[in-house]
Amino acid sequence: MKNLLTGNEAVALGAVDSGVKYAGAYPGTPSTEIVENLSLCKEELYSEWAPNEKVALEGAIGACYAGVRSLACMKHVGLNVAADPFFTNAYTGVNAGLVVVSADDPGMHSSQNEQDNRHYAYHANVPMFEPSDSQECYDMMREAYEISEKYDTPVLMRLTTRVSHSKSIVERKEKLDVPFRPFEKTPTKYVAVPAVAKGLKVKVIKRKEELEKYSETSVFNKAEYYDKKIGVIASGICYQYAVDVLGKNASYLKLGFTYPLPTDLIKEFASNVEQIYVIEENDPVMETQIRALGIEVIGKDRFPLTGEMLPQIIRKVILGDANEVTAIDKSDMPARPPALCSGCPHRGIFYSLAKNKKRRDRIYISGDIGCYSLGYADPYNAMDSLICMGASISAAHGASKVYDMMGLAENKAVAVIGDSTFFHTGINSLMNVAYNNSKVITIILDNRITGMTGHQQNPGTGYTAQGDEALMLDIPTIVKAVGIKNVTTINPNDLSSVDEAINSAMEYDGPSVIIARYPCALKRFSKEDKSEFGEMYVERYSVDAEKCTGCKNCLRSGCPAISFDKTENKAKISDDSCLGCSICSQICKHDAIKKVVK
Amino acid sequence: MTNRIMIVGVGGQGTILCGKLLTIALMKAGYDVKMTEIHGMSQRGGSVSSEISYSDKVYSPVTETGGADIIVAFEKLEALRYSDNLKPSGKMIINDHVMYPASVLSAKADYPEDLNSRISEKFNASFLKASEAAKELGNTKVMNIILLGALAKALDLDGVNWDEIIEENVKANFVEINKKAFRYGHDNINL
């Protein structure tokens, strides 16, 4: 049966057909759709959203020890969070097979950095596959579980955005029936205390030697000879780009199993071609290892170290050529960056944080990862730093301590963090604020869902990944249990209560938490949402042109439903996009924005 | 030669469904097909693109600069933004429709007034008022299928039953209006 699948869908299908019974992940672009698809296969396997990637991987490790093939999926930065179990699991190995998927994001389409996670394979001594299309995603998943069990090791499946989010045709093979492997208590394998770990490290080194032999004969590493003047060594999507540009004017060493590298194959290929180009996105990972074999190559001396290795770059570097492009004047073309959606419940918070200049000057706004990262942009400019998941609160803590140290009593550090991000790692940071007592104001933007990645459930929503009802973890209770005393829950669409909560926290001599609780406008509302919030996003607002003075204050809401007509000098609200949050009508000082009466 | 189509627009306009139906049609027509798109941040009202490639054997899912045979733009400004991707011999199918980006909404920048003539001077471009037509058909969302109809006419694929593809991939309640939308685009595009 042939299907057109994304790389992520093919990884999910490969997992199902390899007999995987346990999958855990924290959502992150471009990896999210793997477990999202697996969650639809309840009959086949258990899958879950874990609070963070470390927890997801540890769950998968426990499941593989207990005897079923398991899977953990994350975006590249997620593997930093999960690095601790990843490194030691490389020592203990597995019982049933375990695959860790890392979806990297060259070009940083949806990420805060561009780290190259192939380094993790080398660093942790874990074998790695790099598929270049969806069929390989499927086939390599099947092979990865075989390798995992045969060599007693976790396996890293390294995807990139273009592999995860591109569709190509996949031919499905028979589904494997994998027997349960009951756990045999073996402390010398599974209990990584120093005395045991010393022996395990020796095993890891021996395992690598065995995997080097596998790499030489793997079906996923192969030479394709055409014209031998140019020899391309490439892995992942770069292989597809290179063939597209060079066709039969070059020979290829296509590498799909890239740690450890097949050194004999590489030497043989090098002896058969005139000039070798190593084509890889981001870091010179293969290049450095190939140069260490004493082979001269062209690599990052000519290819860029950042961004996607798109076909036009390969064309330019190797052929010194560029496709013809029709020139047209774009000098006056406005950009179209993403913006907070119409009706977004984050709007009220960022409008309020931005509007009071005097207060804004006194606060450092420490941001976090989610849709609300857009609070940094126009018209709010209400974010002063952003690092990684959970860092808003902990960075605010550090800053707050410095204000105390330097006698800057007027200054306050404000952390803004989403509900899912709070559960991810923000919760630990808040413990530090409480325990080490800093005067941080933490605003938890609780929109009742994991929004940015496309609406995944989280510990606060009351549902599991597989759609079952679950315990709904209560953020105010958690915050109070951590030890924060000044806790308020507000509706972020009510600007006066937003302002009042922020002002009161500004004056409070200790840590405060403000929970802004209102569902994402794009969410499919649960019955709990409906009973708590009633009818949402059903009203519409419009501008009374008689009363509108053209003051543009409403534009400071940054709502995409509002536009400004320069010729008439009036604001306008699009009834197609207005969702009735009423923020603009609360901002208007001229009573010109009114609810539409039906 | 690999044939390359780009579908560009604004997040939320339905470029993804349009691309999906096209890939299904191309598979049914017997081609090797690849499609790539960028998700994530760009969903939030930002500029978006889907790239579809087909041939006997497709390698790169990504269209090179100056490599697209057809660009379908769901919004005019996006036609301009992605024009470097079009081959000089390529064709543009453009929804004659304006969506202001944030900088224009907030009166900090102007939306170029002369897009139709500026683009037509340089490119083989066909404009269709697909958003208006969709509204008249009774559902603004079917604009994407109107443009799919226009694209289908330009591609002239043999042996593809588009009605069947719509029936199989659209919710039952919306099948009829989507079929009408497809036909409208197919019959009204002036290529």
Side-chain angles (χ1 to χ4, degrees), chain A residues 17-28:
Chain A
D17 287 354
S18 303
V20 169
K21 293 289 170 219
Y22 182 102
Y26 180 80

Side-chain angles (χ1 to χ4, degrees), chain A residues 93-292:
Chain A
V94 302
N95 176 27
L98 170 63
V99 172
V100 180
V101 174
S102 164
D104 295 8
D105 191 16
M108 295 171 272
H109 297 287
S110 298
S111 307
Q112 70 269 38
N113 78 21
E114 197 184 37
Q115 69 187 48
D116 188 331
N117 276 7
R118 293 178 299 166
H119 293 293
Y120 272 113
Y122 185 91
H123 198 175
N125 251 313
V126 167
M128 171 170 61
F129 287 92
E130 286 185 75
S132 75
D133 63 16
S134 301
Q135 183 69 56
E136 287 182 0
C137 285
Y138 178 80
D139 292 340
M140 287 181 185
M141 281 296 284
R142 297 174 64 112
E143 179 78 350
Y145 280 99
E146 297 299 318
I147 294 295
S148 174
E149 288 171 4
K150 185 172 175 193
Y151 296 91
D152 191 7
T153 176
V155 174
L156 184 63
M157 183 70 56
R158 191 254 189 171
L159 311 178
T160 56
T161 300
R162 289 295 177 182
V163 173
S164 284
H165 285 172
S166 293
K167 283 187 177 181
S168 58
I169 294 171
V170 175
E171 186 159 5
R172 190 174 182 178
K173 303 187 170 83
E174 85 288 358
K175 186 173 173 301
L176 299 178
D177 190 16
V178 182
F180 173 53
R181 294 188 176 203
F183 182 65
E184 285 173 31
K185 289 183 177 157
T186 325
T188 50
K189 169 170 164 58
Y190 294 114
V191 184
V193 292
V196 172
K198 283 172 191 168
L200 295 177
K201 178 69 193 280
V202 176
K203 257 175 64 185
V204 168
I205 294 163
K206 283 208 181 108
R207 183 177 73 203
K208 191 196 162 200
E209 287 165 11
E210 294 302 310
L211 285 162
E212 278 166 357
K213 289 179 204 152
Y214 164 78
S215 188
E216 300 291 351
T217 56
S218 171
V219 292
F220 297 108
N221 292 337
K222 59 174 191 293
E224 298 166 1
Y225 289 107
Y226 306 104
D227 192 305
K228 293 184 177 173
K229 280 196 208 63
I230 295 173
V232 169
I233 300 179
S235 64
I237 194 74
C238 293
Y239 164 79
Q240 305 285 353
Y241 294 160
V243 176
D244 218 61
V245 172
L246 302 168
K248 293 189 172 168
N249 298 317
S251 293
Y252 304 89
L253 181 60
K254 181 190 180 313
L255 300 179
F257 182 80
T258 53
Y259 188 81
L261 281 176
T263 49
D264 289 345
L265 258 185
I266 291 168
K267 285 177 192 163
E268 188 191 327
F269 183 72
S271 69
N272 284 328
V273 296
E274 282 178 33
Q275 176 62 61
I276 294 183
Y277 291 85
V278 179
I279 307 182
E280 53 191 331
E281 281 169 333
N282 293 357
D283 298 343
V285 174
M286 292 194 296
E287 179 187 339
T288 308
Q289 296 176 72
I290 293 167
R291 282 187 194 274

Side-chain angles (χ1 to χ4, degrees), chain A residues 268-343:
Chain A
E268 188 191 327
F269 183 72
S271 69
N272 284 328
V273 296
E274 282 178 33
Q275 176 62 61
I276 294 183
Y277 291 85
V278 179
I279 307 182
E280 53 191 331
E281 281 169 333
N282 293 357
D283 298 343
V285 174
M286 292 194 296
E287 179 187 339
T288 308
Q289 296 176 72
I290 293 167
R291 282 187 194 274
L293 299 172
I295 298 168
E296 271 306 307
V297 303
I298 291 175
K300 294 296 173 179
D301 46 339
R302 301 262 306 274
F303 289 103
L305 280 157
T306 182
E308 293 187 280
M309 192 63 68
L310 295 170
Q312 56 261 33
I313 297 172
I314 296 173
R315 183 180 299 283
K316 189 162 175 237
V317 171
I318 300 185
L319 303 176
D321 190 13
N323 283 339
E324 196 188 328
V325 166
T326 308
I328 187 167
D329 179 18
K330 296 187 184 189
S331 57
D332 58 348
M333 181 175 74
R336 196 187 294 275
L340 293 181
C341 305
S342 165

